[in-house]
Every structure is written in C-alpha cells, then in structure tokens.
Amino acid sequence: MTDDRRAAGTPTLEDVARAAGVSRATVSRVINGVRNVDPVIQEAVRQAVSVTGYTPNRAARSLVTRRADAVALVVSGAGIEPQAAEEAEGTGASGDGSSFTAQVFADPFFGRVVTGVVNYLRPRGMHPVLMFAESSRAREEVVAYLRQGSADGALVVSTHAEDPLPALIAEAGLAAVLFARPARPVPVSYVDLAHQDGARLAAEHLLGRGCRRTATISGPLDVPAGQARLTGFRDTMARHGHPYIPVVEGQFTQESGEAAMERLLAEHPDLDGVFAANDLMALGACHVLREHGRSVPGDVAVVGFDDSSAALACRPPLTTVRQPVEEMAAEMTRLLLDRLARPDGPVTSVIFEPELVVRGSA
C-alpha cells in the first residue's frame, strides 16, 4: 500500500520512519497493530507520529486490514421496553431511554471508563463509538452494528444483572470484553475488582477507628459487585465479633444513599460507622448526617468505595476504597485488541486489587 499524500504536504510514513530511525515497513507494522514489534521501537514510532503529526489514512488501511479501526463502547442494561414505555406514558415515567442516559452521565464511574478506553486507543490510531443498549431493540442494533463491521469489537459495561447483551454477543461469535464479571456465566473475557477484599479493607478501617455500631448501605443486590461488597463487609465484621450489621440496599446513586441513611438513622440512631458501597451513596449519607446534626467523622465515620470525583467533592473528603477504573478500562481495551489479533485465543479474566485511601471522613 502506498501513501500518496506527499504532494499535499502532509506527513507520510517515510517522514515518521526518518523521525523514528526505523524502516517504513516497521512504522506500518506498528500503526497497524502488529504485535511482534519491540516495545521500545513501538514507543519510538508513536513519538515520531506525535512529532510529525502523521495521521493514518483510515479508508486505505481498512481496505487492507478489513478493520474499522473503531470499537463500540456499549453501556448496557435491562431497561424499559417499548411496550412498557407506552403504558408508562402519562404517568411521568420516562421510556425513551433519556433517564437511562442521564443516569449514566451523572455517574463519575462512566467518565472514568471512557477516559481509560480513549487513552489506550488514541496512540493506536483507533477510537471508541459510544452506544447505549437499554432495550431489546437497542441491543439488536448493537449486535447488527458489530455484525456489519462498523466496529471491530465491543467493550461492554452492564448496569443490570439481567442484561442479556453479553450472551447475545457471545452467541453471535463477536469479539467483546466486559467490565465486571457477568451475573450469569458467558464465554466472554472480563476485567473486575476483588470487591470482597475492598469491603474487608473498609470494615477493618472502621474497626480500627473504634467503631462498634456499624451499618452498611449496599449496592443493588442483583449486581455481583453489590453482593460481593456486602458479603466482604459482613464476613469481616463477623470475624471480629460483630454478627449483626444493619443493611439498607441502595442503587449506587446519591439519592439512594440519602434515603438509606435516613432509614438507618431512624432505626439505629446510635450507629457510629457506615460503609457505603460506592462514593455517590457515601456522599448522600454524609449530607443526611450533617442535616441531623451528626459530625463526620466525630459522631459517625463514613467509608465509601471507588475513589471517584464524588469522594473529593464530599465534605469532609471521603475515606474510600480505590477501584482503579481507568487502569481497568485500559486493560479491558487491551484484552479486546488481543482478541482481535488472536480470534481463537482463550477467554480470560483480569482481577485488580483494591486499595484503601484514607481522608477526612473516617
């Protein structure tokens, strides 16, 4: 394949090769994602691409590689169906997917996923296409989009345990990687966090502060992460002689954290420690505690989970369990590109370790 853009004065493969001190063929291999190139050479080529301002000719390259040089970043869930939407019309319920997308963009978690994906793809001359799959029709559109080659594969973030999209993608034989272990086993690679270990860190920290009347605001209990964080917290507390831990289920939103904290205070007014299964719920809990005249951490210590922007927005700043979302999203993307390079390779999983970040709330 030749690069005929020299006449236009734009950077060419030869310009990149000269800047990197390698051959034109090596530059081509790096840009096209060939795996067996020395990492030092890859980095030299990428720096040369940045310095020269070279932009690959996507149309010409796709004819050779039969790749779209794009991946679908799919936020999926078991949302309201069209028929239910019609029935909900006039009741104030939103069935057009707007509430789903609003919830996605309101959660700092998804922004961190996008950051990790984009930062990994950009140096490789690829880009993500953001798609939402909150209904059966939207899921069909995602599968069709992948089948027709508009994207080379899918990075799937499911928001609901009953999400059928991972199974649909697997059945269609399409390349995909999931963020988080699926609720039901499917032959698709995924990245995840050791959630129980993270909850153990939260429990041990509260116990170390002297908290003896603790409660927890769990995540949705139909989501594996919500179940695992609750199990890890309860088990650790039981191992330290605290067999009963009050639990109120939340939905990973600030509003649900506020409602849960109101209920916990009404039923257990003497509590002195709270573990919320994500930072948004912890933020809501801190708001309610202040409204009830409880100081944080003087009267009630609060620990969150994720180490998101909500942790820093909280007053006082949240002690939280860090989930390295950006690194996990980058690894998810790497696994997908590896799958595209080796379609017959085995499915795999990568589990990241949590870390306690101590700030002012506990």
Side-chain angles (χ1 to χ4, degrees):
M1 180 176 70
T2 61
D3 191 326
D4 59 0
R5 298 176 297 169
R6 183 178 298 277
T10 56
T12 66
L13 283 177
E14 286 80 1
D15 296 326
V16 176
R18 278 193 296 271
V22 299
S23 70
R24 183 185 187 281
T26 297
V27 173
S28 179
R29 291 168 67 198
V30 172
I31 289 175
N32 285 307
V34 176
R35 291 174 54 83
N36 60 341
V37 179
D38 186 282
V40 175
I41 294 176
Q42 290 185 42
E43 183 58 28
V45 171
R46 290 182 188 125
Q47 290 183 6
V49 168
S50 177
V51 169
T52 61
Y54 175 79
T55 302
N57 186 323
R58 294 188 182 278
R61 188 168 70 178
S62 65
L63 289 174
V64 175
T65 64
R66 301 194 177 187
R67 294 278 178 84
D69 282 342
V71 299
L73 176 54
V74 186
V75 182
S76 181
I80 190 168
E81 299 296 331
Q83 181 178 352
E86 292 176 7
E87 295 171 356
E89 207 170 325
T91 67
S94 176
D96 59 0
S98 60
S99 60
F100 178 77
T101 54
Q103 180 180 345
V104 168
F105 286 122
D107 191 332
F109 166 82
F110 296 103
R112 296 176 67 191
V113 171
V114 171
T115 296
V117 170
V118 170
N119 287 348
Y120 192 88
L121 288 177
R122 182 178 291 165
R124 292 158 178 81
M126 302 181 71
H127 63 278
V129 178
L130 182 61
M131 304 184 74
F132 295 96
E134 76 286 359
S135 67
S136 58
R137 183 165 66 182
R139 287 187 286 272
E140 290 170 1
E141 290 172 353
V142 168
V143 173
Y145 189 82
L146 294 169
R147 280 185 183 278
Q148 68 189 18
S150 298
D152 298 319
L155 303 167
V156 181
V157 183
S158 287
T159 62
H160 197 286
E162 298 302 318
D163 181 15
L165 184 61
L168 292 174
I169 289 176
E171 290 167 3
L174 299 166
V177 179
L178 311 180
F179 193 109
R181 173 173 59 90
R184 297 176 181 175
V186 291
V188 179
S189 296
Y190 65 83
V191 300
D192 207 348
L193 186 77
H195 296 282
Q196 290 195 34
D197 291 345
R200 173 182 56 79
L201 294 173
E204 291 175 346
H205 184 72
L206 289 173
L207 288 167
R209 284 187 52 89
C211 297
R212 294 298 178 266
R213 299 177 301 281
T214 60
T216 182
I217 302 171
S218 77
L221 295 181
D222 61 349
V223 174
Q227 297 171 5
R229 294 176 192 180
L230 176 59
T231 297
F233 188 76
R234 275 178 158 171
D235 284 356
T236 303
M237 297 302 291
R239 289 173 183 270
H240 288 80
H242 299 274
Y244 172 64
I245 302 298
V247 179
V248 176
E249 183 178 0
Q251 296 299 318
F252 286 149
T253 64
Q254 181 175 335
E255 293 76 15
S256 70
E258 292 173 352
M261 193 69 250
E262 289 282 4
R263 180 175 163 186
L264 284 172
L265 281 177
E267 297 177 357
H268 307 278
D270 63 341
L271 61 81
D272 61 3
V274 174
F275 167 53
N278 84 335
D279 291 341
L280 282 175
M281 294 192 299
L283 177 63
C286 287
H287 284 172
V288 169
L289 287 167
R290 284 200 302 272
E291 289 175 354
H292 284 264
R294 308 292 180 91
S295 68
V296 177
D299 297 322
V300 182
V302 178
V303 177
F305 203 110
D306 281 341
D307 194 24
S308 67
S309 58
L312 297 177
C314 189
R315 292 295 176 267
L318 277 176
T319 290
T320 185
V321 177
R322 182 171 189 268
Q323 179 174 203
V325 176
E326 293 86 353
E327 293 92 331
M328 293 168 70
E331 179 64 12
M332 173 175 66
T333 312
R334 186 194 69 78
L335 289 177
L336 179 61
L337 298 190
D338 188 64
R339 164 64 62 175
L340 294 173
R342 296 188 302 139
D344 297 328
V347 297
T348 189
S349 59
V350 177
I351 307 299
F352 284 74
E353 296 299 324
E355 175 186 356
L356 183 71
V357 180
V358 178
R359 298 192 180 98
S361 70

